Amino acid sequence: MARLSYLLRRGASYYARVRVPVDLVEIVGKNELVKSLGTKNEHEAKRRMWPLVEEWNRQFDDIRSRRNITPD
């Protein structure tokens, strides 16, 4: 099983990162979403990361439920 890593460190700052699911890349227009967590502390970054990742996953689910699939 692959290990998921949503935490990215650039320099001294931490960012949340999530890959956009393949079926939604065309709709979202990006391969991944990245947002600064506004901290240089790793433990604080991990605490701030999870609500953001959960929100992105909810958005992915919402996009999937709204798109129309036509039989072609």
Side-chain angles (χ1 to χ4, degrees):
M1 181 174 200
R3 180 175 170 237
L4 298 176
S5 177
Y6 300 112
L7 194 60
L8 173 66
R9 184 175 173 192
R10 290 185 186 160
S13 298
Y14 285 93
Y15 295 79
R17 173 182 67 179
V18 67
R19 289 193 180 270
V20 175
V22 175
D23 61 324
L24 301 179
V25 169
E26 188 175 317
I27 297 167
V28 175
K30 298 179 182 180
N31 289 326
E32 69 178 9
L33 301 176
V34 179
K35 184 170 181 176
S36 173
L37 296 171
T39 185
K40 294 179 181 182
N41 181 292
E42 182 180 4
H43 296 291
E44 180 65 19
K46 287 179 181 179
R47 189 184 69 75
R48 293 180 185 185
M49 173 191 64
W50 287 112
L52 186 57
V53 169
E54 289 172 358
E55 175 59 30
W56 282 334
N57 285 324
R58 278 193 296 274
Q59 289 175 4
F60 296 152
D61 291 340
D62 184 53
I63 292 169
R64 281 189 182 110
S65 70
R66 291 173 185 257
R67 69 180 175 182
N68 294 327
I69 299 175
T70 59
D72 284 341

